[in-house]
Amino acid sequence: MRTHTIFLVLIVLGFTLVSAAAPPTADVLENAARLRADEDATTKDFGGSSPLVIPAAAFATNGNYDDTYFFHPFEGSMRGKSATDGCVHAPAYLPQGAEVFQVYASVLDEDAAADVYIDLKRSNNYAYHDADTMASAHTNGSSSVIQSIFDESISHAIVSYPRFHYWVQLCLPSADTKLYSVRIYFVDNEIFSDGFESGGVTAWNGGS
C-alpha cells in the first residue's frame, strides 16, 4: 500500500512539472499581444473627449514659492496665500492631432489690485527654448462671484506628439484669488486625418 501511494504521488508531481513547462497556447499568446497593443495605444495617445477638464488639485509648484498656494479639499479650489510672482503648473493631456479652439477657467478674484492669469503652453521636447503660449486669459478687477475667463484665439492649435508636451500655468497673486478648474475645448482631427469625411487636413501639418 505504501509503495502504491508513493507511485501515485510521483505521477501527480510529474504531470504538474510537465504542465508547467508546456509552452503557452496560441490563445494565450494572442491575448498577451492584444494587451501589449492596448497598453501601447494608451501610452501613445491620451484620448478622451472635449473638453479636457483640469481640476485645481492637478496644479503643483516647480519648487519656487511652494508655501504660497493652498488647495482647499472641501471646495476643490486652489487659493493663493500671499502676494508673489510664483506660479503653479499642471500637465494638459490632449489627444494627438487634436485642434484646440477654446480655453476656459473658473476663478474667483476678490483682489482689486491684482489679476488671476491662466496660460496654456507647449514646450519643444527636442530643442531648448522659451515655451510657446497657445492661449492666455486673465481677470480684470475684482468680483465677489466665480467667473469664467477664456481665450478663443488659439496659437499653435494642433497637438503634436512627441515633438511637444502641453501644460497650463496658473498665477494666483493673493489669498483673495482662487482657481476651481480649467477646461480645454478641442476637435479631435485625428479621426478625419485623411480628409475624406470632414475635408480637414490640419492634422497633417505637424502642429505648426
Side-chain angles (χ1 to χ4, degrees):
M1 184 68 178
R2 179 181 178 87
T3 303
H4 181 66
T5 302
I6 294 174
F7 180 71
L8 288 176
V9 170
L10 291 175
I11 290 176
V12 171
L13 287 175
F15 179 78
T16 302
L17 291 173
V18 170
S19 299
T25 65
D27 289 340
V28 172
L29 293 174
E30 183 179 352
N31 289 335
R34 185 182 300 111
L35 289 173
R36 285 195 299 270
D38 291 342
E39 183 179 355
D40 289 343
T42 301
T43 56
K44 293 176 182 176
D45 188 355
F46 297 113
S49 58
S50 178
L52 170 65
V53 179
I54 303 176
F59 286 83
T61 69
N62 62 0
N64 295 323
Y65 306 101
D66 57 358
D67 61 344
T68 56
Y69 294 92
F70 173 74
F71 176 73
H72 200 302
F74 300 106
E75 287 187 357
S77 65
M78 175 166 280
R79 173 173 58 84
K81 292 177 65 177
S82 62
T84 178
D85 293 328
C87 298
V88 287
H89 313 85
Y93 297 121
L94 293 158
Q96 166 71 359
E99 181 176 3
V100 178
F101 65 91
Q102 290 175 336
V103 176
Y104 276 72
S106 293
V107 300
L108 180 66
D109 181 0
E110 296 182 298
D111 188 338
D115 297 329
V116 176
Y117 280 84
I118 289 285
D119 295 306
L120 173 62
K121 294 177 176 287
R122 70 173 190 177
S123 295
N124 194 319
N125 292 317
Y126 301 116
Y128 179 79
H129 63 79
D130 292 337
D132 299 316
T133 298
M134 299 170 60
S136 183
H138 64 88
T139 57
N140 188 7
S142 63
S143 175
S144 60
V145 298
I146 297 174
Q147 55 183 306
S148 290
I149 57 176
F150 63 92
D151 188 359
E152 297 178 333
S153 301
I154 310 300
S155 301
H156 315 291
I158 306 300
V159 176
S160 177
Y161 299 118
R163 183 180 177 187
F164 297 98
H165 66 272
Y166 298 83
W167 49 284
V168 177
Q169 177 173 280
L170 162 69
C171 298
L172 296 170
S174 76
D176 295 320
T177 56
K178 294 179 181 180
L179 169 83
Y180 291 88
S181 72
V182 175
R183 283 96 60 207
I184 304 174
Y185 293 84
F186 59 87
V187 176
D188 195 348
N189 282 328
E190 194 75 353
I191 60 174
F192 299 126
S193 59
D194 59 0
F196 177 73
E197 294 182 64
S198 68
V201 294
T202 52
W204 293 103
N205 71 0
S208 60

